[in-house]
Amino acid sequence: MACTIAIDGPAAAGKGTISKAVAAHFGFAHLDTGLLYRAVGRRVLDGVPPVEAARALRAEDLAADDLRTQEVAQAASEVAVIPEVRAALVDFQRAFARRSGGAVLDGRDIGTIICPEAEVKLFVTASAEVRAQRRFAELTEKGTETDYATVLADVRDRDARDMGRADAPLKPAADAVQIDTSELSIDEAVAEAIAVVNSAK
Ligand code: DC
């Protein structure tokens, strides 16, 4: 039986790490839907019009090695505001969600728009300061020159755009279970997510 787990939340709250761990624990497939928007944003930075880029997206575009930069993240957040871009990405996400054997999808609108019928919905959050601190540490580790204030401003900017857009804004589904990871270690956050899934089974 197909089982869909929807995991939404703002940038750098830990939903990617939690999603991967939950998928591995239950043997489900995992789709990071942010990568779809990042791949579109990447093509737009190369000069392709956003709707054209979204309609022409191919699976191999998701494997590009520079999709994790701050520049691409901002471009992704900008293209994600355009309803035709979102519409072009819906079928791929829903087909993935329905695959047999179970699927975990993480993003911004999975529990609200893409899979409102998901068996389990999680909304993973953390304070903007904690998220910026984590992203800053990640970037510094990778050797990217930046400072905490810039990263915090980026996080706030992306939050405002992702929550404020008219089409599929970031918000918890009415029946989502919220996990605030501000004070949790990765292991504690993953354990909490797995416990929520187990209690829903
Ligand atoms: O999860 P992420 O940081 O990789 O997402 C990048 C951007 O893509 C995010 O700022 C907004 C957009 N996005 C979206 O609008 N809907 C999704 N389901 C996933 C991402």
Side-chain angles (χ1 to χ4, degrees):
M1 190 193 71
C3 170
T4 309
I5 301 176
I7 304 187
D8 291 303
K15 62 182 187 313
T17 307
I18 291 175
S19 302
K20 275 194 216 97
V22 167
H25 180 87
F26 292 101
F28 294 168
H30 169 233
L31 178 65
D32 168 3
T33 65
L35 272 187
L36 303 174
Y37 293 89
R38 284 173 184 258
V40 174
R42 169 73 270 168
R43 302 298 313 283
V44 170
L45 291 172
D46 293 337
V48 180
V51 178
E52 192 182 315
R55 289 186 180 149
L57 199 70
R58 298 156 310 163
E60 54 263 41
D61 296 334
L62 306 185
D65 55 9
D66 62 346
L67 298 182
R68 295 277 166 211
T69 65
Q70 292 289 91
E71 188 194 17
V72 172
Q74 284 294 344
S77 175
E78 283 165 29
V79 301
V81 170
I82 305 168
E84 292 85 354
V85 166
R86 307 198 69 82
L89 304 177
V90 166
D91 288 350
F92 180 83
Q93 295 175 80
R94 290 202 175 133
F96 191 97
R98 279 195 295 264
R99 63 170 48 206
S100 61
V104 178
L105 281 80
D106 77 85
R108 302 290 187 289
D109 61 341
I110 309 304
T112 50
I113 306 286
I114 301 296
C115 302
E117 74 297 347
E119 276 92 344
V120 183
K121 297 178 190 174
L122 297 177
F123 195 83
V124 179
T125 58
S127 72
E129 289 76 11
V130 166
R131 289 185 286 126
Q133 194 55 57
R134 287 178 189 159
R135 186 50 55 88
F136 174 63
E138 245 171 59
L139 289 167
T140 312
E141 185 148 323
K142 277 196 267 171
T144 309
E145 285 271 329
T146 186
D147 58 83
Y148 171 74
T150 307
V151 178
L152 179 60
D154 268 5
V155 162
R156 290 214 164 110
D157 194 44
R158 210 134 70 86
D159 280 358
R161 200 179 303 105
D162 294 348
M163 291 173 192
R165 68 181 174 227
D167 190 17
L170 168 65
K171 64 171 182 199
D175 52 350
V177 175
Q178 301 221 21
I179 299 180
D180 186 326
T181 67
S182 304
E183 312 266 317
L184 299 180
S185 67
I186 291 175
D187 287 351
E188 287 168 337
V190 168
E192 203 168 315
I194 289 171
V196 173
V197 178
N198 278 329
S199 70
K201 278 167 107 187

